[in-house]
Amino acid sequence: MTARIYVDLDRVHPVFDGRWHRAHLRRMPDPGEEITTLCGRVEPVAYGALAERASLLLTCWGCDLVYRRQLGIAVPRDHPGLDGGR
Ligand SMILES: [Zn+2]
């Protein structure tokens, strides 16, 4: 028997440099596999328990901006990503 674990890939957010990012994932990447975030960073994947994650993470505004545009979500005029802010 197999115990399946179902994951909502839209809720899987890569974390690095103290920020959470977004990526279009079609499946859970293998450890060490490189993924490209919406802001264009390419990073190898590693997994950890949620309890190991830093409690304070910042938003990657570059990823947020791309995500909003792709889904037709309004982008406020003062969105930090418009200034190239991460
Ligand atoms: Zn990002």
Side-chain angles (χ1 to χ4, degrees):
M1 179 164 285
T2 300
R4 291 201 172 269
I5 298 173
Y6 294 97
V7 178
D8 181 352
L9 294 176
D10 196 45
R11 296 193 177 269
V12 175
H13 301 294
V15 173
F16 53 86
D17 293 342
R19 296 182 183 273
W20 65 271
H21 299 258
R22 288 187 178 273
H24 292 302
L25 301 174
R26 293 190 181 106
R27 61 173 175 73
M28 293 298 285
D30 295 325
E33 183 179 345
E34 290 186 334
I35 61 166
T36 303
T37 61
L38 297 187
C39 65
R41 293 275 301 265
V42 178
E43 300 290 341
V45 169
Y47 290 95
L50 186 60
E52 300 170 355
R53 190 186 75 179
S55 58
L56 177 62
L57 291 175
L58 302 174
T59 299
C60 171
W61 294 113
C63 280
D64 185 76
L65 180 62
V66 172
Y67 183 77
R68 285 172 176 269
R69 286 177 170 162
Q70 289 178 343
L71 295 182
I73 300 171
V75 176
R77 277 187 276 170
D78 61 346
H79 188 287
L82 294 171
D83 294 332
R86 292 181 46 209

XYZ file of all heavy atoms in Angstrom:
683
model
N 0.844 -1.183 0.000
C 0.000 0.000 0.000
C 0.884 1.240 0.000
O 1.972 1.228 0.549
C -0.916 0.003 1.225
C -1.790 1.225 1.264
S -3.194 1.084 2.399
C -4.244 0.001 1.469
N 0.404 2.277 -0.605
C 1.141 3.534 -0.683
C 0.377 4.620 0.056
O -0.843 4.735 -0.108
C 1.311 3.960 -2.164
O 2.025 2.951 -2.850
C 2.048 5.281 -2.258
N 1.067 5.374 0.872
C 0.455 6.521 1.546
C 0.714 7.759 0.698
O 1.845 8.238 0.596
C 1.047 6.697 2.935
N -0.290 8.223 0.050
C -0.116 9.393 -0.820
C -0.216 10.665 -0.012
O -1.070 10.799 0.869
C -1.182 9.412 -1.905
C -1.015 8.300 -2.909
C -1.735 8.650 -4.207
N -1.420 7.669 -5.213
C -0.399 7.784 -6.073
N 0.348 8.857 -6.057
N -0.154 6.835 -6.956
N 0.657 11.588 -0.334
C 0.626 12.921 0.258
C 0.333 13.881 -0.884
O 1.105 13.981 -1.842
C 1.968 13.259 0.940
C 2.220 12.274 2.082
C 1.971 14.706 1.423
C 3.589 12.403 2.709
N -0.780 14.576 -0.790
C -1.162 15.506 -1.850
C -0.721 16.915 -1.473
O -0.949 17.371 -0.353
C -2.675 15.451 -2.083
C -3.109 14.109 -2.631
C -3.607 13.120 -1.788
C -2.967 13.828 -3.982
C -3.970 11.880 -2.288
C -3.330 12.589 -4.488
C -3.837 11.623 -3.636
O -4.188 10.397 -4.129
N -0.116 17.563 -2.413
C 0.450 18.891 -2.171
C -0.154 19.876 -3.164
O -0.209 19.603 -4.362
C 1.990 18.851 -2.343
C 2.592 20.225 -2.147
C 2.607 17.841 -1.392
N -0.608 21.011 -2.647
C -1.088 22.087 -3.509
C 0.142 22.866 -3.965
O 0.725 23.642 -3.194
C -2.053 22.981 -2.732
C -2.605 24.118 -3.579
O -2.128 24.321 -4.724
O -3.515 24.810 -3.081
N 0.563 22.649 -5.190
C 1.819 23.230 -5.663
C 1.778 24.758 -5.720
O 2.820 25.404 -5.711
C 2.179 22.658 -7.036
C 2.516 21.164 -7.024
C 2.755 20.669 -8.450
C 3.719 20.881 -6.154
N 0.588 25.335 -5.763
C 0.496 26.797 -5.749
C 0.847 27.349 -4.367
O 1.089 28.532 -4.208
C -0.906 27.247 -6.155
C -0.928 28.721 -6.529
O -0.013 29.165 -7.265
O -1.842 29.433 -6.072
N 0.851 26.484 -3.376
C 1.180 26.916 -2.015
C 2.595 26.533 -1.607
O 2.976 26.695 -0.452
C 0.177 26.335 -1.025
C -1.221 26.860 -1.270
C -2.102 26.534 -0.099
N -3.424 27.091 -0.279
C -3.774 28.294 0.141
N -2.916 29.051 0.739
N -4.990 28.738 -0.053
N 3.347 26.021 -2.540
C 4.740 25.682 -2.270
C 5.595 26.884 -2.662
O 5.631 27.273 -3.834
C 5.172 24.429 -3.071
C 6.656 24.151 -2.885
C 4.340 23.223 -2.652
N 6.226 27.489 -1.673
C 6.995 28.703 -1.921
C 8.461 28.477 -1.594
O 8.821 28.253 -0.434
C 6.468 29.860 -1.070
C 5.036 30.182 -1.327
N 4.603 30.683 -2.530
C 3.933 30.058 -0.564
C 3.296 30.865 -2.486
N 2.863 30.476 -1.300
N 9.315 28.582 -2.599
C 10.750 28.476 -2.330
C 11.200 29.628 -1.436
O 10.747 30.757 -1.598
C 11.394 28.600 -3.709
C 10.295 28.408 -4.696
C 9.031 28.793 -4.020
N 12.080 29.343 -0.500
C 12.598 30.359 0.415
C 14.107 30.410 0.296
O 14.777 29.387 0.379
C 12.193 30.040 1.876
C 12.871 30.997 2.849
C 10.677 30.088 2.038
N 14.628 31.605 0.077
C 16.067 31.863 0.146
C 16.269 33.357 0.329
O 15.382 34.161 0.046
C 16.834 31.339 -1.090
C 16.295 31.794 -2.420
C 16.695 33.015 -2.958
C 15.400 31.017 -3.119
C 16.211 33.430 -4.178
C 14.898 31.432 -4.345
C 15.302 32.645 -4.877
N 17.411 33.704 0.848
C 17.747 35.109 1.143
C 16.709 35.769 2.052
O 16.454 36.973 1.933
C 17.887 35.921 -0.151
C 19.078 35.503 -0.980
O 19.975 34.834 -0.422
O 19.129 35.838 -2.177
N 16.072 34.999 2.920
C 15.117 35.554 3.863
C 13.788 35.965 3.247
O 13.002 36.666 3.874
N 13.549 35.546 2.015
C 12.295 35.900 1.337
C 11.618 34.642 0.816
O 12.284 33.674 0.451
C 12.564 36.834 0.157
C 13.134 38.164 0.589
C 13.353 39.080 -0.598
N 13.969 40.306 -0.172
C 13.296 41.372 0.267
N 11.986 41.353 0.263
N 13.927 42.449 0.671
N 10.297 34.713 0.758
C 9.573 33.634 0.100
C 9.265 34.079 -1.324
O 8.924 35.225 -1.577
C 8.340 33.207 0.878
C 7.254 34.216 1.021
C 7.121 35.149 2.002
C 6.134 34.384 0.154
N 5.995 35.882 1.797
C 5.366 35.441 0.666
C 5.702 33.741 -1.008
C 4.195 35.876 0.054
C 4.536 34.172 -1.612
C 3.804 35.219 -1.074
N 9.444 33.146 -2.229
C 9.296 33.409 -3.659
C 8.166 32.556 -4.218
O 7.516 31.805 -3.491
C 10.601 33.063 -4.387
C 11.769 33.881 -3.926
N 12.257 34.946 -4.625
C 12.543 33.783 -2.810
C 13.286 35.483 -3.972
N 13.470 34.779 -2.869
N 7.958 32.684 -5.484
C 6.979 31.846 -6.171
C 7.646 31.203 -7.383
O 8.559 31.787 -7.973
C 5.784 32.669 -6.652
C 4.880 33.131 -5.546
C 3.639 33.795 -6.129
N 2.725 34.205 -5.097
C 1.789 33.420 -4.569
N 1.654 32.184 -4.991
N 0.993 33.867 -3.624
N 7.152 30.036 -7.726
C 7.631 29.337 -8.918
C 6.463 28.526 -9.476
O 5.581 28.119 -8.726
C 8.797 28.415 -8.580
N 6.442 28.347 -10.766
C 5.439 27.465 -11.358
C 5.988 26.048 -11.326
O 6.915 25.727 -12.064
C 5.127 27.871 -12.801
C 4.419 29.174 -12.910
N 3.212 29.420 -12.307
C 4.747 30.316 -13.541
C 2.823 30.651 -12.565
N 3.748 31.228 -13.309
N 5.448 25.264 -10.433
C 5.910 23.881 -10.282
C 4.851 22.943 -10.841
O 3.672 23.071 -10.532
C 6.156 23.567 -8.801
C 7.191 24.441 -8.092
C 7.222 24.107 -6.598
C 8.567 24.256 -8.713
N 5.282 22.003 -11.645
C 4.356 20.989 -12.182
C 4.373 19.736 -11.320
O 3.508 18.887 -11.419
C 4.739 20.642 -13.616
C 4.519 21.797 -14.562
C 4.690 21.330 -16.014
N 4.493 22.442 -16.912
C 5.475 23.058 -17.554
N 6.712 22.633 -17.409
N 5.235 24.074 -18.350
N 5.411 19.620 -10.511
C 5.567 18.502 -9.578
C 6.534 18.952 -8.504
O 7.188 19.977 -8.653
C 6.101 17.261 -10.291
C 7.460 17.506 -10.911
C 8.080 16.243 -11.464
N 9.335 16.514 -12.148
C 10.474 16.821 -11.534
N 10.535 16.881 -10.220
N 11.574 17.067 -12.225
N 6.645 18.175 -7.453
C 7.627 18.483 -6.416
C 9.009 18.179 -6.987
O 9.265 17.064 -7.433
C 7.368 17.655 -5.169
C 6.074 18.022 -4.457
S 6.046 19.730 -3.863
C 7.129 19.591 -2.458
N 9.879 19.165 -7.011
C 11.217 18.924 -7.559
C 12.031 18.008 -6.641
O 11.790 17.940 -5.439
C 11.838 20.325 -7.630
C 10.959 21.227 -6.852
C 9.661 20.537 -6.601
N 12.969 17.325 -7.238
C 13.875 16.467 -6.471
C 14.889 17.332 -5.727
O 15.257 18.422 -6.212
C 14.618 15.499 -7.401
C 13.678 14.511 -8.068
O 12.695 14.106 -7.411
O 13.920 14.159 -9.241
N 15.376 16.881 -4.573
C 16.426 17.633 -3.886
C 17.630 17.839 -4.810
O 18.059 16.922 -5.509
C 16.790 16.733 -2.703
C 15.558 15.913 -2.464
C 14.965 15.687 -3.836
N 18.126 19.060 -4.834
C 19.267 19.389 -5.686
C 18.874 19.859 -7.080
O 19.682 20.469 -7.781
N 17.651 19.564 -7.473
C 17.170 20.006 -8.784
C 17.009 21.525 -8.771
O 16.563 22.096 -7.786
C 15.822 19.342 -9.075
C 15.245 19.670 -10.424
C 13.908 18.948 -10.660
O 13.575 17.998 -9.920
O 13.201 19.372 -11.598
N 17.371 22.166 -9.851
C 17.245 23.621 -9.913
C 15.850 24.018 -10.365
O 15.278 23.394 -11.260
C 18.298 24.209 -10.855
C 19.699 24.110 -10.300
C 20.721 24.830 -11.161
O 20.493 24.975 -12.380
O 21.756 25.248 -10.596
N 15.347 25.051 -9.711
C 14.067 25.626 -10.131
C 14.290 27.104 -10.429
O 15.225 27.723 -9.932
C 12.971 25.472 -9.055
C 13.376 26.184 -7.768
C 12.656 23.996 -8.812
C 12.229 26.363 -6.798
N 13.409 27.646 -11.245
C 13.457 29.069 -11.575
C 12.251 29.748 -10.948
O 11.110 29.332 -11.176
C 13.436 29.284 -13.103
O 14.540 28.583 -13.686
C 13.542 30.765 -13.441
N 12.505 30.754 -10.145
C 11.413 31.489 -9.518
C 10.852 32.509 -10.511
O 11.467 32.808 -11.541
C 11.901 32.204 -8.251
O 12.926 33.129 -8.612
C 12.412 31.210 -7.228
N 9.695 33.059 -10.187
C 9.069 34.036 -11.086
C 9.922 35.289 -11.242
O 9.837 35.970 -12.259
C 7.678 34.416 -10.579
C 6.642 33.292 -10.509
C 5.267 33.851 -10.165
C 6.596 32.496 -11.795
N 10.762 35.591 -10.244
C 11.636 36.768 -10.342
C 12.916 36.456 -11.108
O 13.770 37.323 -11.279
C 11.960 37.313 -8.954
S 12.936 36.210 -7.921
N 13.063 35.215 -11.566
C 14.171 34.861 -12.430
C 15.371 34.232 -11.760
O 16.358 33.942 -12.425
N 15.312 33.992 -10.466
C 16.433 33.342 -9.791
C 16.370 31.837 -10.039
O 15.294 31.244 -10.059
C 16.380 33.611 -8.290
C 16.612 35.063 -7.910
C 18.088 35.399 -7.803
N 18.787 34.606 -6.821
C 19.021 34.986 -5.551
N 18.606 36.157 -5.134
N 19.679 34.195 -4.726
N 17.527 31.259 -10.199
C 17.643 29.806 -10.362
C 18.389 29.281 -9.148
O 19.517 29.708 -8.877
C 18.394 29.447 -11.663
C 18.547 27.936 -11.785
C 17.679 30.035 -12.877
N 17.733 28.390 -8.404
C 18.323 27.885 -7.164
C 18.072 26.384 -7.055
O 17.019 25.892 -7.486
C 17.679 28.570 -5.946
C 17.846 30.077 -5.905
C 19.271 30.532 -5.625
O 20.069 29.722 -5.102
O 19.588 31.689 -5.940
N 19.016 25.650 -6.456
C 18.778 24.225 -6.204
C 17.804 24.057 -5.032
O 17.759 24.880 -4.127
C 20.167 23.681 -5.848
C 20.908 24.867 -5.331
C 20.352 26.077 -6.039
N 17.052 22.987 -5.079
C 16.013 22.726 -4.075
C 16.571 21.903 -2.925
O 17.368 20.988 -3.120
C 14.836 21.966 -4.737
C 13.862 21.449 -3.698
C 14.128 22.871 -5.738
N 16.148 22.256 -1.723
C 16.380 21.459 -0.525
C 15.090 21.496 0.277
O 14.338 22.464 0.191
C 17.540 22.013 0.290
N 14.838 20.450 1.034
C 13.609 20.386 1.828
C 13.919 20.457 3.315
O 14.983 20.051 3.764
C 12.842 19.088 1.539
C 12.246 19.069 0.156
C 12.914 18.472 -0.905
C 11.036 19.683 -0.083
C 12.375 18.475 -2.179
C 10.480 19.694 -1.358
C 11.157 19.083 -2.399
O 10.622 19.106 -3.645
N 12.969 20.991 4.047
C 13.099 21.056 5.494
C 11.718 21.097 6.113
O 10.723 21.356 5.429
N 11.676 20.856 7.416
C 10.413 20.925 8.143
C 10.024 22.389 8.343
O 10.889 23.263 8.465
C 10.543 20.231 9.491
N 8.746 22.655 8.364
C 8.256 24.018 8.548
C 8.804 24.633 9.834
O 9.131 25.816 9.880
C 6.724 24.025 8.566
C 6.063 25.400 8.621
C 6.453 26.237 7.407
C 4.552 25.248 8.714
N 8.963 23.811 10.866
C 9.473 24.317 12.140
C 10.905 24.828 12.034
O 11.353 25.620 12.859
C 9.387 23.220 13.204
N 11.632 24.397 11.007
C 13.021 24.829 10.815
C 13.112 26.175 10.112
O 14.176 26.780 10.066
C 13.781 23.797 9.984
C 13.840 22.428 10.610
C 14.377 21.379 9.654
O 14.622 21.689 8.467
O 14.535 20.231 10.094
N 12.006 26.625 9.544
C 12.002 27.859 8.748
C 12.084 29.078 9.664
O 11.531 29.075 10.761
C 10.715 27.920 7.920
C 10.711 29.022 6.892
C 9.376 29.117 6.237
N 8.458 29.756 7.179
C 7.187 30.018 6.927
N 6.663 29.672 5.788
N 6.432 30.608 7.814
N 12.756 30.099 9.204
C 12.804 31.357 9.952
C 11.383 31.864 10.144
O 10.536 31.733 9.254
C 13.643 32.386 9.192
N 11.130 32.439 11.301
C 9.762 32.878 11.589
C 9.396 34.150 10.838
O 8.225 34.402 10.568
C 9.585 33.098 13.090
O 10.513 34.052 13.547
N 10.380 34.934 10.488
C 10.091 36.168 9.762
C 10.666 36.070 8.356
O 11.881 36.013 8.167
C 10.690 37.376 10.481
C 10.501 38.712 9.777
C 9.017 39.040 9.658
C 11.245 39.808 10.501
N 9.773 36.033 7.389
C 10.195 36.013 5.998
C 9.597 37.221 5.300
O 8.473 37.639 5.587
C 9.707 34.745 5.291
C 10.340 33.449 5.726
C 9.665 32.273 5.025
C 11.824 33.449 5.416
N 10.333 37.758 4.382
C 9.841 38.879 3.592
C 9.304 38.356 2.270
O 9.672 37.272 1.817
C 10.973 39.875 3.342
C 11.629 40.457 4.602
C 12.832 41.312 4.214
C 10.618 41.262 5.397
N 8.465 39.123 1.660
C 7.922 38.779 0.349
C 8.909 39.173 -0.735
O 9.505 40.243 -0.674
C 6.603 39.549 0.110
O 5.667 39.170 1.110
C 6.035 39.264 -1.268
N 9.093 38.327 -1.713
C 9.850 38.722 -2.904
C 8.869 39.486 -3.784
O 7.964 38.897 -4.379
C 10.406 37.517 -3.645
S 11.114 37.987 -5.235
N 9.073 40.780 -3.868
C 8.124 41.611 -4.625
C 8.216 41.376 -6.121
O 7.254 41.573 -6.854
C 8.333 43.078 -4.275
C 7.970 43.354 -2.846
C 8.812 43.709 -1.836
C 6.666 43.251 -2.263
N 8.101 43.824 -0.663
C 6.794 43.558 -0.899
C 5.407 42.923 -2.761
C 5.706 43.551 -0.024
C 4.324 42.919 -1.892
C 4.480 43.228 -0.543
N 9.384 40.941 -6.578
C 9.522 40.612 -7.995
C 8.633 39.435 -8.366
O 7.924 39.456 -9.371
N 8.633 38.402 -7.531
C 7.762 37.247 -7.762
C 6.297 37.659 -7.645
O 5.463 37.244 -8.451
C 8.065 36.139 -6.751
S 9.509 35.134 -7.125
N 5.994 38.460 -6.645
C 4.610 38.883 -6.435
C 4.094 39.672 -7.632
O 2.960 39.477 -8.071
C 4.520 39.729 -5.162
C 3.086 40.102 -4.834
O 2.345 39.224 -4.338
O 2.688 41.262 -5.089
N 4.938 40.532 -8.175
C 4.528 41.333 -9.332
C 4.220 40.441 -10.538
O 3.177 40.591 -11.188
C 5.623 42.340 -9.678
C 5.339 43.257 -10.861
C 4.126 44.133 -10.587
C 6.564 44.119 -11.160
N 5.098 39.506 -10.825
C 4.877 38.597 -11.960
C 3.622 37.762 -11.731
O 2.793 37.599 -12.641
C 6.113 37.686 -12.180
C 5.820 36.612 -13.214
C 7.320 38.520 -12.581
N 3.467 37.258 -10.527
C 2.297 36.432 -10.188
C 1.007 37.219 -10.401
O 0.059 36.729 -11.016
C 2.415 35.978 -8.732
C 1.325 35.060 -8.260
C 1.324 33.720 -8.611
C 0.300 35.532 -7.450
C 0.322 32.867 -8.169
C -0.712 34.688 -7.002
C -0.694 33.359 -7.367
O -1.695 32.516 -6.934
N 0.975 38.444 -9.909
C -0.221 39.282 -10.069
C -0.531 39.518 -11.540
O -1.682 39.417 -11.971
C -0.024 40.627 -9.368
C -0.113 40.563 -7.871
C 0.290 41.901 -7.243
N 0.131 41.889 -5.823
C -1.005 42.275 -5.191
N -2.003 42.745 -5.874
N -1.077 42.214 -3.892
N 0.477 39.842 -12.308
C 0.266 40.122 -13.732
C -0.227 38.881 -14.468
O -1.100 38.974 -15.335
C 1.549 40.650 -14.359
C 1.849 42.091 -13.945
C 3.144 42.574 -14.521
N 3.322 44.010 -14.325
C 4.477 44.645 -14.413
N 5.580 43.962 -14.704
N 4.541 45.939 -14.230
N 0.328 37.732 -14.152
C -0.075 36.507 -14.836
C -1.515 36.127 -14.528
O -2.193 35.543 -15.365
C 0.863 35.354 -14.457
C 2.251 35.496 -15.055
C 3.203 34.391 -14.638
O 2.961 33.679 -13.666
N 4.293 34.260 -15.365
N -1.981 36.463 -13.326
C -3.340 36.098 -12.938
C -4.331 37.242 -13.088
O -5.511 37.106 -12.752
C -3.363 35.584 -11.493
C -2.606 34.282 -11.254
C -2.743 33.846 -9.813
C -3.114 33.181 -12.185
N -3.873 38.379 -13.580
C -4.752 39.524 -13.770
C -5.179 40.176 -12.464
O -6.232 40.816 -12.408
N -4.368 40.034 -11.436
C -4.636 40.660 -10.140
C -4.112 42.093 -10.194
O -3.011 42.340 -10.704
C -3.949 39.877 -8.991
C -4.471 38.433 -8.948
C -4.144 40.580 -7.657
C -3.699 37.518 -8.002
N -4.886 43.020 -9.681
C -4.489 44.427 -9.719
C -3.122 44.637 -9.081
O -2.809 44.034 -8.059
C -5.533 45.272 -9.002
N -2.349 45.506 -9.715
C -1.029 45.867 -9.190
C -1.115 47.314 -8.709
O -1.296 48.224 -9.509
C 0.068 45.733 -10.265
C 1.412 46.197 -9.719
C 0.144 44.306 -10.788
N -1.005 47.532 -7.402
C -1.055 48.912 -6.897
C 0.076 49.749 -7.499
O 1.160 49.236 -7.790
C -0.858 48.753 -5.385
C -1.147 47.321 -5.088
C -0.830 46.557 -6.330
N -0.180 51.029 -7.683
C 0.834 51.902 -8.280
C 2.106 51.986 -7.457
O 3.166 52.271 -7.973
C 0.262 53.326 -8.469
C -0.549 53.429 -9.742
C -0.943 54.841 -9.975
N -2.159 55.106 -9.213
C -2.690 56.282 -9.034
N -2.120 57.342 -9.530
N -3.804 56.425 -8.359
N 1.973 51.737 -6.156
C 3.169 51.797 -5.289
C 3.735 50.403 -4.977
O 4.470 50.240 -4.001
C 2.831 52.549 -4.003
C 1.724 51.847 -3.203
O 1.051 50.952 -3.757
O 1.544 52.204 -2.022
N 3.408 49.426 -5.800
C 3.921 48.067 -5.574
C 5.445 48.105 -5.610
O 6.035 48.616 -6.572
C 3.371 47.129 -6.657
C 3.675 45.692 -6.409
N 4.919 45.147 -6.570
C 2.876 44.679 -5.981
C 4.880 43.864 -6.278
N 3.652 43.553 -5.908
N 6.115 47.566 -4.576
C 7.582 47.617 -4.519
C 8.265 46.943 -5.713
O 9.381 47.313 -6.078
C 7.917 46.887 -3.222
C 6.669 46.952 -2.393
C 5.534 46.970 -3.377
N 7.620 45.978 -6.319
C 8.221 45.293 -7.460
C 8.350 46.166 -8.688
O 9.171 45.900 -9.561
N 7.560 47.225 -8.770
C 7.640 48.123 -9.926
C 8.942 48.916 -9.936
O 9.383 49.364 -10.987
C 6.449 49.095 -9.932
C 5.083 48.425 -10.146
C 3.955 49.431 -9.925
C 5.005 47.833 -11.543
N 9.549 49.056 -8.778
C 10.839 49.760 -8.678
C 12.003 48.783 -8.754
O 13.120 49.149 -8.481
C 10.926 50.526 -7.349
C 9.916 51.643 -7.281
O 9.557 52.162 -8.348
O 9.490 51.983 -6.162
N 11.703 47.544 -9.079
C 12.747 46.536 -9.110
C 13.051 45.978 -7.736
O 13.990 45.235 -7.552
N 12.263 46.387 -6.758
C 12.468 45.909 -5.392
C 12.182 44.428 -5.291
O 11.320 43.912 -5.975
N 12.970 43.771 -4.508
C 12.772 42.337 -4.331
C 11.880 42.162 -3.158
O 11.288 41.365 -2.766
C 14.107 41.639 -4.126
C 14.943 41.676 -5.372
C 16.256 40.973 -5.189
N 16.002 39.684 -4.510
C 16.879 39.091 -3.715
N 18.029 39.617 -3.497
N 16.596 37.955 -3.109
Zn 11.338 35.969 -6.188
